[in-house]
Amino acid sequence: MGTQEPQHESTEQAHTGRRALLGAAVLGAGGTVLGLSGTARAAGARPGGGGLKSLPVPTIIGHRGASGYRPEHTFGSYQLALDMGADIVEAGDLVPTRDGHIVCRHEPEIGGTTDVANHPEFAARRTTKVLDGVSTTGWFTEDFTLAELKTLRAIERIPANRPHNTLYNGHWEIPTFEEVLKWQDEQTRKRGKQVWIYPETKHPTYFRGLGLGLEERVAKLLHKYGKDRRNSPVIIQSFEPTSIQRLNRLVDNPLAVLLSSADSRPWDFVASGDPRTVADLITPKGLREIAGYAQGIGPTLDLIIPRDAQGNLTKPTTLVKDAHKVGLVLHPWTMRNENPFLPANFRKGTDADAYGDVFGAFRTYFATGIDGVFTDNPDTGVLAREDFLDR
Ligand code: G3P
Ligand code: CA
């Protein structure tokens, strides 16, 4: 069976900062709230660095690239996402190395996504750490220099669900964020179309505690490449609100607060003793506060349409309406084609690597008015959007 996504935890007070970039897009004349999808669809997508409003809606975001088909967070995966028509590539989840470089891995623990276990020279680096309250055993990026990490190769994280992707094990190295920024420019030139990326600061409180603060390093790189501006084609996301607030003070990029299950607490809240949970953040008050320092939210799909005890979709919540009301866009996660990751009523059979009725699921989620979605299968997402908009 498929793996569950880890439950994320993440923070804190509103900050001065910019107002929601998309406020104008969701408010019609007289302040009437419009369906954002309808608004952006009518306007159409503009090429170039026109800010969030230039993106097609619903926006298809290649999750860790096109990770349904290639080992995640590799240039093979990122490249394929663009080839498949993704509007944005999640490049990448950002973690630091021991010598302060920023690399693209979903987690600092890299035993499941690289061939590090096959490197006897690194056998002694295997260790157990407490990561955001969870005891975790393996190899951690913060214990390696960039030069050492570059000797490793990426492998498929969930081979039981994606056996074909193991074909590509060993093909690509771990990208750095700086390489991604250069790649983005190269691809933009080559394709004649602005390439967008959607990096995520990963476990920022944990890394700051190790003296490896992420936000300043990310901001420095964005500044170096002239991509730290309001209209830069880089949206930054984090499960820790304080990380987004910190970024809001460092850069002018669009920012998004990720939201895990309603009963979870962002890890920075846990660390600072803030008792609030995600349920508090998605109240009208909580959303207003987020809109003071971010332009969007990235909720788990279950916050858009909860599942019942059997895993079937129930009725949509008011989150889309509530978030749009304060000018926040919604980019929920994560659509995957394989049965185990779909709501029960969209599965076909029980094979862990077989595809379910993913078009039906996309249609149902798009109908809620979400502004985009992260998907491991950007080609499916693009086609599902075409079908949805043609109706
Ligand atoms: O970044 C949005 C989505 O990626 C959810 O988080 O990093 O666990 O896949 P992640
Ligand atoms: Ca992510």
Side-chain angles (χ1 to χ4, degrees):
M1 283 295 288
T3 58
Q4 291 288 338
E5 285 301 301
Q7 289 300 294
H8 294 274
E9 325 264 60
S10 354
T11 324
E12 195 175 303
Q13 294 301 349
H15 161 73
T16 54
R18 308 145 284 145
R19 289 297 307 172
L21 194 62
L22 272 207
V26 292
L27 291 176
T32 310
V33 177
L34 300 172
L36 184 63
S37 303
T39 305
R41 214 181 304 154
R46 292 192 307 272
L52 282 182
K53 283 191 277 186
S54 68
L55 290 164
V57 174
T59 308
I60 302 302
I61 306 158
H63 186 238
R64 312 178 197 171
S67 56
Y69 311 106
R70 299 288 185 272
E72 66 190 32
H73 289 311
T74 59
F75 277 115
S77 184
Y78 297 160
Q79 193 77 33
L80 187 59
L82 291 183
D83 292 345
M84 290 182 158
D87 304 304
I88 315 185
V89 181
E90 193 200 28
D93 290 307
L94 305 180
V95 293
T97 67
R98 190 173 75 196
D99 47 350
H101 294 275
I102 303 291
V103 296
C104 304
R105 288 289 91 194
H106 180 243
E107 286 292 323
E109 199 290 300
I110 52 173
T113 61
T114 71
D115 61 359
V116 65
N118 298 333
H119 284 250
E121 71 276 23
F122 298 135
R125 307 268 179 103
R126 189 169 188 273
T127 186
T128 298
K129 303 189 183 201
V130 178
L131 178 58
D132 293 1
V134 178
S135 179
T136 307
T137 297
W139 293 262
F140 296 79
T141 58
E142 68 267 25
D143 295 334
F144 291 77
T145 64
L146 177 60
E148 289 172 335
L149 285 180
K150 282 291 187 182
T151 68
L152 307 180
R153 293 294 177 269
I155 62 170
E156 173 53 44
R157 180 178 62 90
I158 45 174
N161 306 94
R162 294 170 177 166
H164 293 129
N165 296 5
T166 61
L167 173 68
Y168 304 100
N169 283 359
H171 202 79
W172 292 288
E173 56 185 43
I174 297 175
T176 67
F177 186 47
E178 183 158 19
E179 289 167 349
V180 163
L181 294 171
K182 292 179 186 170
W183 168 84
Q184 180 186 21
D185 289 339
E186 286 162 13
Q187 292 299 314
T188 296
R189 274 194 299 275
K190 192 173 150 191
R191 293 167 191 266
K193 179 184 172 199
Q194 181 62 58
V195 167
W196 281 70
I197 60 170
Y198 212 138
E200 177 185 344
T201 55
K202 215 79 197 192
H203 304 290
T205 295
Y206 169 78
F207 285 121
R208 189 160 294 278
L210 298 177
L212 289 167
L214 284 170
E215 295 83 359
E216 293 81 0
R217 287 175 167 85
V218 169
K220 194 173 167 188
L221 285 168
L222 290 172
H223 182 69
K224 178 176 174 182
Y225 289 91
K227 300 183 187 191
D228 57 349
R229 303 179 192 141
R230 178 187 171 90
N231 283 338
S232 295
V234 182
I235 311 172
I236 315 173
Q237 48 171 336
S238 183
F239 280 101
E240 297 191 16
T242 46
S243 179
I244 294 300
Q245 290 167 353
R246 195 180 293 274
L247 284 161
N248 186 42
R249 296 189 287 270
L250 293 168
V251 295
D252 285 327
N253 298 73
L255 303 170
V257 174
L258 297 170
L259 300 165
S260 195
S261 61
D263 60 353
S264 67
R265 280 170 78 198
W267 185 253
D268 50 349
F269 281 18
V270 175
S272 68
D274 185 328
R276 289 177 299 163
T277 63
V278 164
D280 298 305
L281 294 180
I282 59 174
T283 60
K285 178 174 179 284
L287 291 168
R288 260 197 316 278
E289 188 177 303
I290 290 174
Y293 57 86
Q295 287 65 49
I297 55 173
T300 173
L301 282 164
D302 289 351
L303 292 177
I304 305 291
I305 311 181
R307 303 187 198 197
D308 64 18
Q310 285 70 47
N312 299 307
L313 290 187
T314 59
K315 284 191 174 164
T317 66
T318 60
L319 183 56
V320 173
K321 177 170 69 76
D322 295 344
H324 281 171
K325 203 167 184 175
V326 295
L328 291 167
V329 296
L330 297 96
H331 292 156
W333 42 274
T334 299
M335 283 296 290
R336 298 181 166 100
N337 286 1
E338 296 90 354
N339 274 320
F341 307 114
L342 288 167
N345 45 324
F346 291 99
R347 292 178 193 153
K348 288 181 177 175
T350 55
D351 287 353
D353 61 344
Y355 288 177
D357 175 18
V358 70
F359 288 107
F362 266 113
R363 204 163 40 242
T364 305
Y365 287 120
F366 286 156
T368 64
I370 57 173
D371 303 285
V373 67
F374 286 82
T375 175
D376 290 6
N377 306 86
D379 55 343
T380 313
V382 168
L383 191 53
R385 173 177 61 194
E386 277 175 29
D387 290 349
F388 176 71
L389 295 179
D390 281 348
R391 276 170 181 259

